[in-house]
């Protein structure tokens, strides 16, 4: 099968199309013929540094949408021919940037009929991250005030929709050119982070979702009500953060997304109902994975980037 692999860490040009043996599903696994695979910031971070993965050669990719080719011993959820989508176990279950991939059956869900494979492949990692932050970690409920940083980004634009589906009042930060897009997702308020310190425009929120960390993470403590929750996707660097949070009874959590069959089924239901949809910034054929990485690393994309592995996607 064809796959995008790297023999060293570095810039996008380390990614090369290679031919490798097709995997076989083990017990509890399914073999998926990949139709499309999402590309996320964690892909280019691992490509450049190895991050959580210290192994080469390396085939990247956690998001996948495709067709079940075969099932391993003990699998009862899926049969060959089923259309599925999911996130391979993060971080060590990597490998969807290829024509075939194996993964635990319970990392997948049936793909909603109303989504094509490109749309479905854009959802799993980013949507699971948003869902696990907003629902599982913060327990957002109807009427809660939620601040989502980078609300036009991959995780952010899905988080806006998930928070709205929970009945929250959603505030997003984004550049002025993306305000209309963020409002179209359901955001009640949008703050231009380039011209406004969000602390001057936002008060008494119940939950902050921060994909950026750094100064944004530490400043977010100032807009949370006592007892609120800050969920960050990156480690903090402010040594005074813990004391500041404790003084105001704010819970601070750093989230690492997990493969989740129940969460994927919820995401499938939201997508099928029309309450959740990924915005696709760009699609590239598998062979042009390096171009997809280069575009993503510019940090200016809206929504998601997807690799099309099969023309039928």
């Amino acid at each position: 099968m064809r796959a995008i692999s790297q023999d060293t860490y570095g810039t996008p040009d380390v990614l090369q199309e290679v031919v490798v043996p097709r995997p076989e599903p083990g017990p509890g696994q399914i073999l998926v013929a990949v139709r499309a695979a999402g590309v996320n910031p964690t892909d280019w971070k691992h490509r450049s540094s190895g991050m959580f993965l210290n192994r080469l050669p390396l085939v990247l990719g956690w998001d996948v949408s495709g067709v079940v080719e075969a099932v391993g011993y003990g699998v009862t959820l899926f049969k060959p021919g089923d259309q599925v989508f999911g996130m391979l176990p993060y971080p060590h279950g990597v490998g969807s940037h290829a024509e075939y991939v194996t993964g635990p059956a319970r990392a997948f869900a049936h793909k909603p009929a109303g989504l094509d494979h490109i749309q479905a492949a854009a959802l799993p990692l980013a949507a699971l991250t948003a869902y696990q932050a907003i629902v599982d970690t913060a327990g957002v409920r109807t009427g809660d005030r939620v601040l989502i940083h980078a609300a036009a980004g991959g995780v952010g634009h899905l988080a806006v929709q998930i928070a709205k589906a929970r009945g929250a009042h959603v505030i997003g930060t984004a550049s002025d050119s993306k305000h209309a897009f963020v409002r179209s997702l359901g955001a009640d308020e949008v703050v231009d982070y380039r011209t406004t310190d969000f602390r001057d425009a936002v008060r008494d929120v119940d939950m902050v979702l921060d994909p950026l960390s750094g100064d944004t993470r530490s400043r977010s403590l100032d807009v949370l009500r006592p007892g609120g929750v800050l969920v960050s996707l990156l480690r903090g660097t402010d040594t005074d953060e813990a004391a500041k949070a404790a003084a105001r009874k704010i819970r601070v959590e750093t989230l690492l997304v997990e493969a989740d069959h129940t969460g994927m089924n919820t995401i499938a239901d939201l997508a099928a109902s029309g309450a959740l949809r990924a915005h696709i910034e760009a699609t590239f054929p598998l062979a042009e994975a390096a171009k997809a990485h280069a575009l993503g690393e510019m940090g200016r994309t809206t929504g998601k980037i997807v690799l099309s592995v099969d023309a039928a996607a």
Side-chain angles (χ1 to χ4, degrees):
M1 69 172 187
R2 293 181 302 131
I4 301 300
S5 183
Q6 60 185 97
D7 294 320
T8 186
Y9 303 118
T11 57
D13 59 9
V14 303
L15 300 173
Q16 303 293 327
E17 185 178 280
V18 299
V19 175
V20 296
R22 192 181 85 168
E24 295 296 331
Q29 291 187 323
I30 59 175
L31 172 68
V32 178
V34 181
R35 296 291 184 262
V39 181
N40 297 284
T42 191
D43 288 296
W44 52 79
K45 290 175 182 177
H46 278 88
R47 184 214 70 228
S48 62
S49 68
M51 210 155 106
F52 297 124
L53 301 175
N54 185 25
R55 65 174 192 252
L56 292 169
L58 176 62
V59 176
L60 290 168
W62 286 269
D63 281 338
V64 58
S65 183
V67 179
V68 176
E69 185 83 3
V71 301
Y73 176 79
V75 173
T76 61
L77 294 178
F78 305 109
K79 302 298 181 187
D82 286 348
Q83 299 193 45
V84 297
F85 74 134
M87 184 194 80
L88 301 175
Y90 186 86
H92 299 291
V94 66
S96 69
H97 294 173
E99 290 184 301
Y100 294 89
V101 71
T102 57
R106 291 186 177 272
F108 293 85
H110 289 281
K111 180 183 73 65
L115 296 186
D116 63 30
H117 286 291
I118 296 292
Q119 294 166 332
L123 284 172
L125 188 149
L128 278 176
T129 300
Y131 185 85
Q132 290 170 10
I134 292 167
V135 181
D136 294 345
T137 304
V140 167
R141 298 172 295 180
T142 299
D144 283 353
R145 290 169 54 81
V146 175
L147 172 62
I148 297 170
H149 290 299
V155 171
H157 87 292
L158 299 174
V160 170
Q161 298 171 70
I162 290 171
K164 287 304 297 182
R166 300 287 291 183
H169 179 95
V170 177
I171 308 159
T173 64
S175 61
D176 181 68
S177 63
K178 297 180 180 179
H179 280 206
F181 170 69
V182 175
R183 288 189 183 278
S184 76
L185 302 171
D188 300 283
E189 304 175 46
V190 190
V191 178
D192 185 351
Y193 69 90
R194 291 181 175 176
T195 61
T196 305
D197 185 333
F198 64 85
R199 294 176 298 179
D200 297 331
V202 181
R203 285 287 185 276
D204 297 323
V205 298
D206 297 279
M207 184 252 182
V208 175
L209 175 56
D210 170 34
L212 305 172
S213 196
D215 182 54
T216 300
R217 173 170 164 148
S218 59
R219 287 187 295 139
S220 292
L221 294 173
D222 296 330
V223 304
L224 280 158
R225 64 167 179 79
V229 183
L230 168 61
V231 183
S232 179
L233 306 185
L234 297 169
R235 295 187 182 95
T237 57
D238 186 344
T239 56
D240 298 325
E241 179 186 279
K244 186 177 179 180
R248 300 187 58 213
K249 295 183 171 58
I250 291 170
R251 181 159 62 100
V252 178
E253 303 284 3
T254 301
L255 173 72
L256 190 68
V257 67
E258 299 178 68
D260 178 5
H261 177 65
T262 301
M264 279 305 307
N265 279 325
T266 301
I267 288 163
D269 290 342
L270 287 169
S273 72
L276 183 65
R277 190 174 183 89
H279 173 80
I280 309 299
E281 169 79 11
T283 305
F284 294 87
L286 179 65
E288 296 182 5
K291 291 183 179 179
H293 278 234
L295 175 62
E297 282 186 300
M298 293 174 64
R300 299 173 185 171
T301 55
T302 299
K304 293 296 299 294
I305 298 171
V306 178
L307 297 178
S308 176
V309 182
D310 183 286

